[in-house]
Amino acid sequence: MTEEQQAGLARFLDTAYGFLTTGYKEPARYNFDVCNVSPAAEVVPGPELGGSPQPCAGVGGRGDDAAVCRKMSGNSAPLMEESSVGNGTPLPAESAVENTMAELEEVAACVRECTLCGLCATRIKAVPGEGAQRPLALVVGEGPGADEDSSGRPFVGAAGRLLDQMLLSIGLDRNRNCFIANVIKCRPPGNRDPLPEETAACLPFFERQLAALRPPVILTVGKVPVKTLLGTDEGITRLRGNWKSYRGIPLLPTFHPSYLLRDESQKKFAWEDLKALCRRLAGIDPGYAAETAELRRARGI
Ligand code: SF4
C-alpha cells in the first residue's frame, strides 16, 4: 500500500470513527490563525542572511570544488550531547551569538557559490535559509520550490505563508525565535525529490547550520527531511507526531504545509504536532513558557 493510500485509509477510518461516535459533522477547519500572540510580523530575511553575498573564505572559485569550503570536511563546532538536551538546555551565551552569525554568513556565502552538485546548473538562486540566530526551533524542509528559487528565501509561497501561520499559532516566528532551512539548498527541476548524490553533497551545509544554531528542538516538515536525517523509509503519516532524535537534538516530524494545502483534513494532525512542540518548548525555555502561557491556556495546549 502506498503512502497516499495509507493516508486515504487513515482519513476514512477517522471519518468513520467520528460518524459512529458523534454522528456526522463537517470536518473541523484548522487555519492555525486563532491565536493570542502578536500578529504576524512582516517576514523579511534575517540581517545575517539578507545582505550581499559575502566571499567564502574557503572557496577557491567555481570549479575549485575540492576547496569549496574549508569547513565542509566536518570541522564544525560539536553539537550538544544527547544527555543535555530536552531538559532545559541552555541557549548559547551572547558571546556565542556573534560566532553563530559569522558561521551562518559563511555557510550562506558558500551555498550561493556552490557547484558541488548538478543542481547549480538549473537554480536561479540558492536558498541557504533564514531566521533567528538563537532559535528555539530549527524548521527543516526538503528544498526550494519555484518561489524560493526566484527569491533566494525559504518557504515564501503559499506553503510558506501557511508554515508561518502554523508557527505563529504556537508563538514561533522566523524573525524572532526560529530558523528555517532545507536539507537541499537548490531547487531540483520540476520539484522532483533530490537524488541521493545531491543530498550527500548538500547535507554538510545543513550540518554546519545545525552546529552553529544549536537549536533545542528540530521540526521537520514532509517526508524528505526526516528520511534524509534519520535514514528511514517509513512514511510521514506514520512518523509524524512521534519524537525522534538527531545528533542528540529532539526532532519532531510533521506534515509539509503544501500537503496540508492539498488536503485540509490533515491539518488537525499537524495541529496536534504543533501542540506537542509547544509543550516541549515550554518545558525547555521559561521565556517561551511565559510568553505563550495565555495562548496555551486559550488553546488548551
Ligand atoms: Fe551545492 Fe547544495 Fe546547491 Fe548542490 S544543492 S549545488 S550541493 S548548494
Side-chain angles (χ1 to χ4, degrees):
M1 189 181 286
T2 65
E3 191 175 327
E4 203 69 28
Q5 289 169 328
Q6 287 174 6
L9 180 59
R11 285 198 298 279
F12 170 77
L13 292 173
D14 185 54
T15 305
Y17 177 77
F19 181 79
L20 289 171
T21 52
T22 62
Y24 179 76
K25 286 182 187 167
E26 280 294 314
R29 295 176 67 84
Y30 292 82
N31 288 324
F32 307 109
D33 54 3
V34 188
C35 60
N36 295 334
V37 292
S38 51
E42 186 186 358
V43 178
V44 296
E48 72 278 17
L49 297 177
S52 305
Q54 302 295 309
C56 176
V59 173
R62 285 179 186 262
D64 187 8
D65 286 350
V68 71
C69 208
R70 62 183 156 81
K71 291 187 183 173
M72 290 293 285
S73 57
N75 294 332
S76 306
L79 290 167
M80 58 189 78
E81 294 300 319
E82 177 94 41
S83 60
S84 71
V85 297
N87 300 313
T89 307
L91 293 170
E94 284 302 324
S95 60
V97 173
E98 283 179 23
N99 294 338
T100 301
M101 186 171 175
E103 174 71 352
L104 292 174
E105 281 178 349
E106 189 175 304
V107 172
C110 288
V111 164
R112 292 187 184 106
E113 293 289 318
C114 180
T115 57
L116 280 175
C117 85
L119 295 180
C120 69
T122 51
R123 74 182 175 213
I124 299 172
K125 288 184 178 175
V127 183
E130 67 184 29
Q133 293 150 33
R134 288 176 55 168
L136 282 169
L138 172 57
V139 182
V140 187
E142 170 186 340
D147 292 321
E148 292 76 18
D149 189 39
S150 306
S151 66
R153 298 181 54 214
F155 283 95
V156 291
R161 286 191 291 278
L162 177 56
L163 178 65
D164 284 332
Q165 266 185 309
M166 292 165 66
L167 296 172
L168 278 169
S169 73
I170 56 166
L172 294 176
D173 179 341
R174 68 171 88 185
N175 286 315
R176 219 163 46 83
N177 55 10
C178 69
F179 193 96
I180 301 179
N182 290 307
V183 287
I184 282 277
K185 309 300 188 191
C186 303
R187 183 191 183 203
N191 292 345
R192 63 161 170 74
D193 285 354
L195 302 173
E197 58 268 30
E198 293 163 350
T199 303
C202 206
L203 201 57
F205 290 124
F206 171 80
E207 295 286 359
R208 284 183 59 188
Q209 291 173 317
L210 181 64
L213 292 163
R214 301 167 66 87
V217 167
I218 298 171
L219 177 73
T220 58
V221 295
K223 70 173 181 184
V224 170
V226 69
K227 180 179 175 183
T228 302
L229 299 181
L230 301 185
T232 176
D233 280 326
E234 226 177 325
I236 186 63
T237 306
R238 283 183 181 276
L239 286 167
R240 61 139 288 272
N242 294 303
W243 284 98
K244 307 287 182 185
S245 175
Y246 182 69
R247 298 199 180 282
I249 301 172
L251 180 154
L252 185 66
T254 193
F255 290 130
H256 195 285
S258 62
Y259 175 61
L260 300 176
L261 288 173
R262 294 197 303 274
D263 186 349
E264 288 216 345
S265 70
Q266 301 300 296
K267 285 185 175 179
K268 60 187 171 190
F269 300 113
W271 174 235
E272 291 303 317
D273 302 341
L274 290 172
K275 287 197 295 185
L277 175 62
C278 184
R279 283 192 293 270
R280 187 98 184 209
L281 288 175
I284 290 174
D285 187 75
Y288 175 83
E291 187 178 303
T292 57
E294 174 60 18
L295 175 155
R296 286 183 288 118
R297 187 198 61 72
R299 308 200 79 185
I301 298 176

